[in-house]
Amino acid sequence: MRNFTRYLLPISAIALAFPVLSTDVMAQGADDEIEEIVVSGLRGKPRSAIDSAVPIDTFDAQSIEAVSHTDTQDILQTLVPSYNVGRQPISDGSTFIRPATLRGLPSHHTLVLVNGKRRHRASLVGIGGAGQQGPDVATIPSTAVKSIEVLRDGASAQYGSDAIAGVINFNLKDNNEGFTLSAGTGQYFEGDGDQFTIAANVGLPLGENGFISISAEIDEASMTQRDTQYCDNWFCADPNGPAFGNTSDLRQGFVLGVPSAGVDAYTAGLQTAYPAGVSSASVEGDVVQPWGQPNSESVRTFVNAGYDLDNGVELYGWGNHSKSKGDGGFFYRYPFNGTNETVRNADGSFYNPLEKFPGGFTPRFEGQVEDVGLAGGFRGSMGDAFSYDVSLRYGSNEIDYRLFNTVNPSYGVDSPTDFKPGTLTNEETQFQIDLSSEFDGGMASPVVLAYGISMLDESYDVGQSNDVASYQGGPHSGPDPYGFCDANTGLPSTTASGVSSIGGMAAVAGNTIVGLDCDPNGGDPAFRVVGVGSNGFPGYSPAFSDTYSRDSFAVYGDISTDVSDNLFLQAAIRFEDYSDFGNETVGKIAGRYLVNERFAIRGSIGTGFRAPTPGQQGTTNVSTRLPNGFPVATGLFPAGGPIAQALGATPLRAETSTSYTVGFTADLEKLSLTVDFYNIAINDRFNAVSTLDVSTDPTSGSAFDNYTALANAGVAGANSIGGVFYFTNAFDSSTHGVDVVASYPIEWGNGQETDLQLAVNYNQSSLESDASEFLNAEDQYDFENADPSMRWNLQASHAIGDLSIMGRARYYGEMKNSNNNTTPLSVQTFGSVMFFDLEANYRFNDNWRISAGGRNIFDAYPDEIDKAINDDCCGRVYDSGSYVPWQGGYYFARVSVSF
């Protein structure tokens, strides 16, 4: 980090010398607030702020509790149509830290705040696609949240580079008394996915003028299965499956348990043993490769505290600790798939990983995520136009991986089956001063000048594995490791005697190995080269372990006022200087014009600048993916490193953006309505290139060139990698759409009232430059079409005495997807789908309450994959990469007590 410490005291002294007003209340005037904390979301009030210059949604604790989910990610998706998060069951770390989008943009384009302060990023960088790295919202337990505000507008000029799509602010509970406890359970209609949650909050006084609010949540959920048995043209584990006849005689022999004609005794023994081992190929589930949500468990705590000093200064602080664990499956390793291959032991006998896993195996991936956050500071005011807020925060997110039910193929018979591949850690430290002055500028309201500085130090550590077997190459990472053949004569060498472990076949006769073929191209197992590292996710070796760090400095200014009784204007500017990407200045202008007492128009335009995170610059990964619909080992390497650059990569550049929003608000007696159109243009957008083929076949053209580049760069096991990719500034894009939010109360003659709320989002992304250099035709098409363009939620709430009932309809529009990079593309259209939720709450007295209901009560599912036109493989029934829910109906019950 550049030595900013020596500047802290003089900068602080200069800043405090000015009349200031805390930017936590960037007032437009007496009645208007913008960009920061919006006090709304009270029962019976509109959910969307109609008196702000930009679209802001607010949700109070009651709205949050009305959602049956406990995961804060799912709560946001239910409440905000433009916020989406999917369930990715076989996606490395994304199985445990789920990437989210706002307005169709990845999580690193949305700034997340807690009590108005930046939330640190998760340690996971998404593999492929946009390479998302944003905060893990799931680490914030919903029981700790007092309200949520969602700013649906670009705000980089106020908050920094992460705020291209918008800002989400979580306000923590600040009660100094009271205790609440709730326990809930639920299950999917399919009879799986059992979930149990206990959540509690207690408020305590802190002296005479303070509070401390403590929240905790314990959650456990079991896996689900929405799949069929693995059956594809290359291998079908179901002898009655539609593709079984397309597989080779050798692989049919395994499934039937009948030795194929012409195989040797060793292979015949493996085939005979296979059927009995199929049921244990996967650690979980009743098919060899399950698709569904993972097993998960978590313990999350949050503490929020504040204390008012006698001199008008408030001390504040909060902290959290979250620990969670989950596990899910990888792709199935079937017989002779490149991993389950026969090699020769040191004594000349045969070995195949099927000896350890007779029915093949599905690696099981586990992630333990630990999240720690601390923030504190002091704020105060001196008079009506003079305030300050000085804060310091620290955040750390670490994921520790485990991979089991797998092998390091190159170790042969000596391979363990349980590995610790290493850790990923993201750390951030930020010092911030937020200041503002209020003065009379001769306008309809005082002029508010807000300004401040930020110093941010961030690092990303790819932690080397202590388990050398997870990354080290064993004897079978090269041909003929035991010297069975004389390289000079091409004849067999003498070797020790031994017998094979299956089939009882004599391996030697005298000093000659039976059946040994010393022709390197003859296919003898002695020359077979297999993969290096824990299969499915090799560990982080010294060559790929490093710490990537940077620091940045920012200064911003924001001025706003009511120019007249009808016109409010705001302008903001921000200068940021990154140690690794230079500096940039961005700005924003926003305004609201009150046409009359019930109707106003509003809009904003701003620029943005986002430097790729240290994690996006440094992440590396080798895992099994489906670049052409077929599972192969695929490597991701840092764009700035020698391996990716040997493949044609160039160092990453920052993204720049221009966004605007224009809309109107209407307060028509009972009806509250906001409509906002938006467009977000991003230049030099960060994305992964389409997977480049890798082959050891000298006749394969560019695929062989890629292999040569990997081998020359010293990549262990390069001969077992089938694809490679890296992140780059791939294209320019435009994301446009409209948000509509409406609230309407229906009054009944008996004095009761039904509150209706409608939220609609239409969103469409398009490529605005030629991306063919980096993306193939399939990836270009899916970028523009793979997500539903239309989403809306309609909710109705009604109370009858102590009984309240809530019904909700959730709509996901049509989407199109191509999983086959052919000419012309093969495209499947997935139709729209609607889910209905129903919940009832009954309050027995002031303390006890019970809730029960269902999510997706009609057990609706999205369209299934059409195998005739879609090459999604391996037992998958639904498009698991989509954020459209595909788990089916869920019912639940919850009991709560408060004092």
Side-chain angles (χ1 to χ4, degrees):
M1 178 177 180
R2 289 172 292 181
N3 188 11
F4 285 142
T5 306
R6 60 194 175 103
Y7 297 115
L8 294 183
L9 288 178
I11 290 175
S12 301
I14 293 172
L16 293 176
F18 290 91
V20 293
L21 177 66
S22 169
T23 57
D24 277 348
V25 285
M26 280 201 238
Q28 297 182 30
D31 299 320
D32 296 325
E33 295 178 345
I34 187 169
E35 303 294 359
E36 299 278 348
I37 296 177
V38 179
V39 181
S40 64
L42 301 176
R43 182 174 177 84
K45 297 290 185 180
R47 70 163 243 180
S48 188
I50 63 172
D51 55 0
S52 65
V54 291
I56 303 173
D57 289 338
T58 60
F59 306 96
D60 63 359
Q62 185 177 10
S63 300
I64 298 168
E65 292 171 1
V67 180
S68 61
H69 290 284
T70 56
D71 189 316
T72 307
Q73 293 267 44
D74 294 311
I75 291 173
L76 278 172
Q77 181 175 30
T78 302
L79 295 173
V80 184
S82 59
Y83 186 93
N84 288 290
V85 59
R87 168 61 65 195
Q88 301 187 15
I90 302 179
S91 190
D92 298 321
S94 296
T95 302
F96 318 119
I97 300 177
R98 295 187 294 158
T101 64
L102 181 68
R103 283 184 163 179
L105 296 178
S107 60
H108 53 249
H109 286 145
T110 299
L111 178 64
V112 176
L113 307 174
V114 174
N115 281 359
K117 307 300 179 185
R118 177 185 291 265
R119 182 72 173 163
H120 58 274
R121 298 186 187 94
S123 54
L124 179 74
V125 176
I127 305 303
Q132 299 196 51
Q133 190 191 11
D136 183 9
V137 171
T139 60
I140 306 173
S142 58
T143 188
V145 179
K146 179 181 179 180
S147 64
I148 303 174
E149 294 135 7
V150 181
L151 166 63
R152 296 177 278 108
D153 190 54
S156 294
Q158 288 105 329
Y159 295 104
S161 65
D162 295 353
I164 290 176
V167 181
I168 301 174
N169 182 39
F170 293 88
N171 295 310
L172 302 177
K173 291 179 178 177
D174 54 4
N175 50 312
N176 64 0
E177 62 180 3
F179 172 75
T180 61
L181 174 68
S182 67
T185 186
Q187 184 184 76
Y188 285 97
F189 289 7
E190 292 287 335
D192 57 10
D194 297 7
Q195 185 167 4
F196 183 73
T197 304
I198 297 178
N201 169 267
V202 60
L204 301 170
L206 192 61
E208 294 183 358
N209 301 317
F211 73 92
I212 180 168
S213 181
I214 305 171
S215 304
E217 179 183 272
I218 300 173
D219 184 80
E220 291 187 10
S222 61
M223 65 169 288
T224 62
Q225 272 193 253
R226 306 292 180 267
D227 45 49
T228 60
Q229 183 60 286
Y230 192 111
C231 186
D232 281 284
N233 291 330
W234 51 86
F235 188 86
C236 180
D238 179 5
N240 299 313
F244 182 74
N246 300 332
T247 61
S248 67
D249 291 341
L250 176 67
R251 290 170 178 169
Q252 288 184 26
F254 276 94
V255 178
L256 298 174
V258 177
S260 302
V263 300
D264 57 60
Y266 180 77
T267 303
L270 297 176
Q271 288 182 312
T272 302
Y274 175 86
V278 170
S279 61
S280 57
S282 176
V283 173
E284 298 275 7
D286 53 14
V287 296
V288 297
Q289 184 177 312
W291 292 88
Q293 75 175 23
N295 296 305
S296 64
E297 57 185 64
S298 62
V299 178
R300 295 178 171 127
T301 58
F302 237 105
V303 178
N304 187 32
Y307 191 85
D308 289 326
L309 301 178
D310 291 338
N311 59 2
V313 177
E314 178 192 1
L315 302 178
Y316 63 87
W318 60 91
N320 82 283
H321 181 263
S322 170
K323 202 159 190 177
S324 60
K325 182 172 74 173
D327 68 88
F330 273 3
F331 287 98
Y332 173 58
R333 271 60 172 171
Y334 49 84
F336 292 94
N337 74 323
T339 298
N340 289 317
E341 299 287 348
T342 301
V343 296
R344 286 193 186 267
N345 294 318
D347 62 3
S349 61
F350 293 150
Y351 167 76
N352 189 300
L354 294 172
E355 292 188 25
K356 298 179 186 291
F357 303 104
F361 63 92
T362 301
R364 197 74 181 173
F365 197 45
E366 179 182 278
Q368 296 193 49
V369 182
E370 185 168 14
D371 187 276
V372 176
L374 296 169
F378 59 93
R379 56 191 169 213
S381 60
M382 302 177 187
D384 294 336
F386 187 95
S387 288
Y388 55 87
D389 186 342
V390 181
S391 62
L392 180 68
R393 72 169 182 89
Y394 167 81
S396 171
N397 184 279
E398 178 181 277
I399 183 166
D400 187 0
Y401 289 130
R402 175 192 174 205
L403 188 66
F404 58 104
N405 201 54
T406 189
V407 295
N408 180 336
S410 69
Y411 269 43
V413 69
D414 296 322
S415 174
T417 60
D418 199 319
F419 303 86
K420 295 287 287 182
T423 61
L424 299 173
T425 307
N426 189 86
E427 288 188 297
E428 298 175 20
T429 303
Q430 183 180 25
F431 176 77
Q432 186 167 329
I433 303 177
D434 294 311
L435 312 164
S436 180
S437 303
E438 180 179 305
F439 58 90
D440 186 0
M443 304 293 181
S445 69
V447 177
V448 177
L449 177 63
Y451 50 99
I453 63 168
S454 167
M455 302 177 201
L456 175 62
D457 181 57
E458 47 190 329
S459 67
Y460 187 80
D461 179 63
V462 181
Q464 179 183 335
S465 172
N466 294 322
D467 180 3
V468 295
S470 72
Y471 63 81
Q472 191 176 69
H476 302 290
S477 59
D480 195 15
Y482 302 116
F484 294 137
C485 296
D486 189 309
N488 295 320
T489 66
L491 299 174
S493 303
T494 58
T495 185
S497 64
V499 295
S500 65
S501 57
I502 290 183
M505 181 189 69
V508 298
N511 290 325
T512 303
I513 298 176
V514 173
L516 179 65
D517 180 359
C518 284
D519 179 1
N521 299 316
D524 190 279
F527 288 90
R528 184 161 291 116
V529 177
V530 290
V532 171
S534 44
N535 187 249
F537 194 96
Y540 298 121
S541 68
F544 298 112
S545 302
D546 203 352
T547 299
Y548 301 82
S549 60
R550 74 156 173 239
D551 53 70
S552 61
F553 171 81
V555 58
Y556 75 90
D558 183 302
I559 187 169
S560 59
T561 188
D562 287 299
V563 178
S564 67
D565 291 339
N566 294 348
L567 178 64
F568 165 79
L569 291 177
Q570 178 189 29
I573 189 170
R574 186 181 185 94
F575 171 82
E576 291 186 318
D577 181 26
Y578 291 85
S579 60
D580 53 353
F581 282 94
N583 59 70
E584 185 76 8
T585 301
V586 296
K588 178 179 178 178
I589 298 174
R592 175 176 177 266
Y593 182 75
L594 187 64
V595 178
N596 55 47
E597 292 183 355
R598 298 190 179 279
F599 185 82
I601 56 176
R602 62 186 183 184
S604 70
I605 184 170
T607 59
F609 172 86
R610 193 194 76 85
T613 69
Q616 290 169 335
Q617 297 177 64
T619 191
T620 183
N621 177 276
V622 177
S623 59
T624 301
R625 293 170 58 81
L626 304 170
N628 298 304
F630 181 81
V632 296
T634 308
L636 166 69
F637 300 101
I643 297 172
Q645 293 201 353
L647 296 164
T650 57
L652 297 173
R653 304 186 305 275
E655 299 172 329
T656 58
S657 65
T658 302
S659 63
Y660 68 82
T661 299
V662 60
F664 66 86
T665 67
D667 187 7
L668 308 174
E669 295 184 356
K670 295 181 181 180
L671 175 65
S672 172
L673 176 67
T674 66
V675 179
D676 297 281
F677 300 87
Y678 59 87
N679 186 84
I680 306 168
I682 301 177
N683 294 329
D684 294 326
R685 184 158 170 176
F686 177 89
N687 207 82
V689 302
S690 295
T691 302
L692 307 173
D693 291 335
V694 177
S695 175
T696 58
D697 181 0
T699 65
S700 60
S702 61
F704 181 73
D705 294 339
N706 293 332
Y707 161 72
T708 302
L710 294 179
N712 291 341
V715 177
N719 54 334
S720 66
I721 293 178
V724 67
F725 63 109
Y726 50 84
F727 293 121
T728 192
N729 298 92
F731 51 82
D732 301 338
S733 72
S734 174
T735 299
H736 59 275
V738 60
D739 287 315
V740 179
V741 178
S743 301
Y744 187 82
I746 300 176
E747 298 178 356
W748 305 98
N750 56 6
Q752 297 176 7
E753 184 177 281
T754 300
D755 291 326
L756 298 179
Q757 293 187 346
L758 173 68
V760 181
N761 172 251
Y762 173 83
N763 189 86
Q764 184 69 49
S765 292
S766 60
L767 295 168
E768 297 298 324
S769 66
D770 182 3
S772 58
E773 179 182 355
F774 304 109
L775 301 184
N776 60 31
E778 174 189 337
D779 289 342
Q780 291 182 65
Y781 183 89
D782 290 345
F783 177 84
E784 297 184 330
N785 298 280
D787 293 328
S789 296
M790 178 69 73
R791 264 205 69 196
W792 56 259
N793 299 336
L794 175 62
Q795 178 176 307
S797 302
H798 187 85
I800 307 172
D802 293 325
L803 175 66
S804 62
I805 301 173
M806 184 279 296
R808 181 187 296 114
R810 294 176 286 133
Y811 175 86
Y812 294 81
E814 178 184 279
M815 64 180 188
K816 297 180 179 180
N817 182 263
S818 170
N819 275 312
N820 197 340
N821 190 31
T822 59
T823 304
L825 288 173
S826 176
V827 175
Q828 179 176 356
T829 299
F830 295 85
S832 60
V833 60
M834 187 178 295
F835 306 106
F836 293 91
D837 308 332
L838 184 64
E839 178 177 348
N841 293 272
Y842 184 78
R843 183 175 294 279
F844 293 96
N845 51 43
D846 292 338
N847 306 113
W848 290 91
R849 184 178 57 141
I850 188 171
S851 305
R855 188 167 66 236
N856 187 8
I857 59 175
F858 297 117
D859 199 26
Y861 284 87
D863 289 347
E864 296 185 2
I865 293 169
D866 185 346
K867 293 290 289 183
I869 57 176
N870 193 316
D871 64 358
D872 276 335
C873 77
C874 314
R876 182 163 24 190
V877 174
Y878 303 102
D879 184 4
S880 58
S882 168
Y883 59 69
V884 179
W886 48 279
Q887 301 296 315
Y890 181 88
Y891 58 87
F892 63 90
R894 181 172 59 239
V895 60
S896 305
V897 60
S898 59
F899 298 98

